[in-house]
Structures are given as C-alpha cells and as structure tokens.
C-alpha cells in the first residue's frame, strides 16, 4: 500500500523558493531540481522510512537527494504508516532547518 504525501505550506514554499533561486541563472536546471525533489518525495510513497532519522527529533526523518555539487534535504515525519508529512525542503548549502 502506498503512503499519502502531504506537503505543509512551508515545504511547498521552500520548493518554490529553491526553484526561483536557480531559475534566474538556469531555467533548465531549476526544472530539473524541482523534478528531482518531487521524484525523491514520490519514493516516500512506497518506502516511507527511506530517510535517515533526525538526531534529537525522533518523529522526523531526512531524505537526502544528491543534485549537482550539493544535495537537497527533505525533512518529513510519518504521521501514520500511510501518511507522510513533508515539513521542509532545503539545499545543503543553506543554514540548517
């Protein structure tokens, strides 16, 4: 059974912010980055525990997605065994969550 993915508004805004940042320099790379993030999140539908547990935040996990010279980090939590909540999205060069 696949899990339902729920994006918190802040996470959706993060995705848009990351895409807009890249788009000014390279629209094609911005599209690829957004696709990489969305594809990575889709993985959580079939494997919700794919991410690494977050130290000191037992309810949260981080899914790390390599992209170019960095990585995108998807912070999420398992609401139930069938609901994955996407909490935030950031690039590895950004300040932590």
């Amino acid at each position: 059974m696949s899990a339902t993915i729920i994006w918190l508004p802040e996470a959706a805004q993060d995705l848009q912010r990351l895409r807009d940042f890249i788009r000014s320099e390279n629209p094609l790379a911005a599209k690829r980055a957004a696709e990489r993030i969305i594809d990575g999140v889709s993985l959580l539908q079939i494997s919700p525990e794919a991410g690494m547990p977050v130290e000191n935040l037992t309810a949260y996990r981080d899914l790390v997605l390599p992209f170019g010279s960095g990585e995108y980090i998807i912070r999420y939590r398992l609401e139930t065994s069938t609901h994955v909540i996407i909490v935030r999205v950031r690039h590895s060069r950004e300040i932590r969550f």
Side-chain angles (χ1 to χ4, degrees):
M1 175 182 238
S2 68
T4 300
I5 303 294
I6 301 167
W7 287 73
L8 291 183
E10 296 86 350
Q13 291 168 1
D14 288 340
L15 177 60
Q16 187 63 49
R17 175 184 52 79
L18 291 165
R19 187 173 181 183
D20 289 346
F21 178 77
I22 298 171
R23 187 181 326 190
S24 64
E25 295 293 321
N26 188 335
L28 183 57
K31 182 176 188 266
R32 287 194 329 262
E35 289 171 349
R36 177 70 174 119
I37 292 167
I38 291 167
D39 289 347
V41 168
S42 295
L43 167 70
L44 298 175
Q45 286 182 302
I46 55 173
S47 186
E49 294 187 10
M52 301 176 296
V54 176
E55 188 176 336
N56 299 323
L57 294 173
T58 57
Y60 294 90
R61 301 178 80 81
D62 283 344
L63 180 65
V64 178
L65 305 171
F67 186 81
S69 63
E71 303 165 322
Y72 288 107
I73 301 157
I74 314 300
R75 169 116 347 134
Y76 69 98
R77 72 177 189 264
L78 301 174
E79 190 70 19
T80 66
S81 62
T82 59
H83 287 84
V84 174
I85 310 296
I86 307 302
V87 178
R88 297 303 301 252
V89 181
R90 73 171 180 90
H91 190 273
S92 59
R93 293 184 183 167
E94 292 182 290
I95 297 171
R96 298 206 173 270
F97 294 110

